[in-house]
Amino acid sequence: MEASEDAHAEENPTMAQNPDKIGREVLPIPDTPSRGKMALDARDASFPPITPLRPPKGAPNVVIVLLDDMGFGAPSVTGGPCHMPAMQNIADDGVLYNRFHTTALCSPTRVALLTGRNHHSAGIGSVAEVATGAPGNDSVRPNTVATVAEMLRLNGYSTGCVGKAHQTPAWEVSMSGPFDRWPTGEGFEKFYGFVGGETNQWSPTLMLNTSPIEPPKTAEEGYHFSEDITDKAISWMRGLDVMTPDKPFFLYVSYGATHAPHHVSQEWIEKYRGRFDKGWDAVREETLASMKAKGIVPQDTELTGRPEGVKPWDELNETERAVFARLMETYAGFAEHTDAQVMRLV
């Protein structure tokens, strides 16, 4: 503030809580000193109302949806075989990147996304369970590296995380903690999901904040993890809109899909019956052609080599083809089911 504004703030103590006037260079933002009139008789005392911390005016709600183990050539929005209309709608209303890089592994991608740092700078060079003692790969995010959730929370946002959290050191995933690197220790006021690499989508190892809980119903009663966390996210957003409509929120929706195990009901798998009988070589060629048609990749783009250990489709026997085609059908059905949950969320 300028000197004249300082003087004005003394006369008008509520100005110090103006979200566009307070300094945000240091977090947590220092509390505003109390100003007012003290008196022996409480009826003669005078203090301004408490003003809760809020972000600057116009600060938006932020929702990040993360899908796991999905290649750039899988969803239909980029030319892939998995029908994903919600992702298409989001791309049509915004920006679709074709040069967004991940680490191609779960834990490091997540910590890089949440901190804006190189994953080694955040201590997670690989998945949390295979950490070593080497700097940058011990799975311990340094306390000098903050998450975006913590920065937004300290600026007056409501923050919540639902789904998969796979950036906690493996030896800290127990009732003993410590919980500094659980979602609730990383700036999320609410967490509902699982901590680790994967879980049974029909019967997950669920946590509410840092306490284990049972799923609200069984698989036989129609339970699915992706649907459950979407329900929780929608309920949380609606509650915030009722209670504090002036307070923006940061919501991180991290699906266990499409990571293994590929658990989805039969109706979604059957949508793709026979769609992959042509084999992965043909599907890859079709995907690249579709990407070129959409302008996703340059016209002179060539397919990468087949991964080591993966045979050409025409060298597989009949049983292998049947099994692998069904695996692809299951993956695609799982992806489309997840996209349907994103559609509900939006």
Side-chain angles (χ1 to χ4, degrees), residues 171-304:
W171 63 88
E172 295 183 0
V173 182
S174 78
M175 64 183 295
S176 300
F179 301 104
D180 308 65
R181 295 173 185 87
W182 282 53
T184 52
E186 296 190 317
F188 291 106
E189 297 167 318
K190 303 285 186 181
F191 170 62
Y192 181 83
F194 69 96
V195 180
E198 61 186 33
T199 194
N200 187 325
Q201 300 289 300
W202 308 116
S203 181
T205 304
L206 269 183
M207 296 285 175
L208 177 60
N209 297 326
T210 60
S211 300
I213 60 171
E214 292 296 320
K217 55 185 178 181
T218 65
E220 291 73 21
E221 295 169 326
Y223 179 86
H224 193 281
F225 180 72
S226 297
E227 297 173 9
D228 184 19
I229 64 171
T230 304
D231 290 341
K232 294 296 188 295
I234 292 171
S235 176
W236 186 67
M237 288 189 292
R238 285 176 172 164
L240 294 176
D241 191 48
V242 170
M243 299 303 298
T244 52
D246 65 319
K247 184 179 183 182
F249 61 80
F250 173 63
L251 172 62
Y252 177 45
V253 184
S254 175
Y255 287 98
T258 47
H259 192 287
H262 296 154
H263 289 167
V264 68
S265 61
Q266 195 77 5
E267 61 184 290
W268 294 93
I269 301 173
E270 286 303 311
K271 288 187 173 189
Y272 292 88
R273 170 71 72 173
R275 294 276 294 277
F276 298 99
D277 289 352
K278 66 190 75 174
W280 46 53
D281 292 319
V283 171
R284 294 181 75 224
E285 291 171 359
E286 290 178 354
T287 298
L288 178 59
S290 180
M291 285 181 164
K292 290 180 179 180
K294 287 175 171 284
I296 299 292
V297 298
Q299 292 301 309
D300 59 353
T301 301
E302 298 180 3
L303 275 176
T304 55

Side-chain angles (χ1 to χ4, degrees), residues 25-335:
E25 295 79 15
V26 176
L27 295 176
I29 297 170
D31 292 332
T32 303
S34 177
R35 298 184 177 92
K37 175 186 175 184
M38 294 291 290
L40 291 176
D41 189 329
R43 292 170 295 183
D44 296 330
S46 176
F47 291 95
I50 295 174
T51 304
L53 176 65
R54 290 290 186 267
K57 293 176 183 177
N61 294 325
V62 179
V63 179
I64 292 179
V65 176
L66 180 66
L67 272 60
D68 207 331
D69 276 11
M70 176 162 285
F72 192 63
S76 53
V77 66
T78 51
C82 304
H83 182 56
M84 306 185 74
M87 191 178 289
Q88 183 69 58
N89 290 347
I90 293 170
D92 290 344
D93 289 340
V95 177
L96 175 65
Y97 293 100
N98 65 354
R99 285 185 61 81
F100 179 88
H101 296 267
T102 74
T103 65
L105 289 171
C106 181
S107 303
T109 290
R110 290 164 189 275
V111 75
L113 177 68
L114 288 172
T115 64
R117 304 285 196 96
N118 176 280
H119 51 295
H120 293 97
S121 299
I124 300 185
S126 185
V127 293
E129 288 80 359
V130 296
T132 68
N137 193 43
D138 57 11
S139 80
V140 178
R141 177 180 55 80
N143 60 13
T144 54
V145 176
T147 69
V148 64
E150 180 71 349
M151 287 184 275
L152 290 178
R153 184 185 71 83
L154 292 174
N155 272 284
Y157 269 72
S158 295
T159 57
C161 170
V162 296
K164 173 180 175 177
H166 194 199
Q167 62 274 1
T168 303
W171 63 88
E172 295 183 0
V173 182
S174 78
M175 64 183 295
S176 300
F179 301 104
D180 308 65
R181 295 173 185 87
W182 282 53
T184 52
E186 296 190 317
F188 291 106
E189 297 167 318
K190 303 285 186 181
F191 170 62
Y192 181 83
F194 69 96
V195 180
E198 61 186 33
T199 194
N200 187 325
Q201 300 289 300
W202 308 116
S203 181
T205 304
L206 269 183
M207 296 285 175
L208 177 60
N209 297 326
T210 60
S211 300
I213 60 171
E214 292 296 320
K217 55 185 178 181
T218 65
E220 291 73 21
E221 295 169 326
Y223 179 86
H224 193 281
F225 180 72
S226 297
E227 297 173 9
D228 184 19
I229 64 171
T230 304
D231 290 341
K232 294 296 188 295
I234 292 171
S235 176
W236 186 67
M237 288 189 292
R238 285 176 172 164
L240 294 176
D241 191 48
V242 170
M243 299 303 298
T244 52
D246 65 319
K247 184 179 183 182
F249 61 80
F250 173 63
L251 172 62
Y252 177 45
V253 184
S254 175
Y255 287 98
T258 47
H259 192 287
H262 296 154
H263 289 167
V264 68
S265 61
Q266 195 77 5
E267 61 184 290
W268 294 93
I269 301 173
E270 286 303 311
K271 288 187 173 189
Y272 292 88
R273 170 71 72 173
R275 294 276 294 277
F276 298 99
D277 289 352
K278 66 190 75 174
W280 46 53
D281 292 319
V283 171
R284 294 181 75 224
E285 291 171 359
E286 290 178 354
T287 298
L288 178 59
S290 180
M291 285 181 164
K292 290 180 179 180
K294 287 175 171 284
I296 299 292
V297 298
Q299 292 301 309
D300 59 353
T301 301
E302 298 180 3
L303 275 176
T304 55
R306 189 183 298 103
E308 184 180 351
V310 177
K311 295 180 181 179
W313 187 260
D314 58 14
E315 292 183 10
L316 302 179
N317 62 41
E318 186 175 343
T319 299
E320 289 173 327
R321 291 183 186 184
V323 170
F324 291 139
R326 193 56 171 170
L327 289 174
M328 289 188 277
E329 292 167 4
T330 303
Y331 178 92
F334 196 20

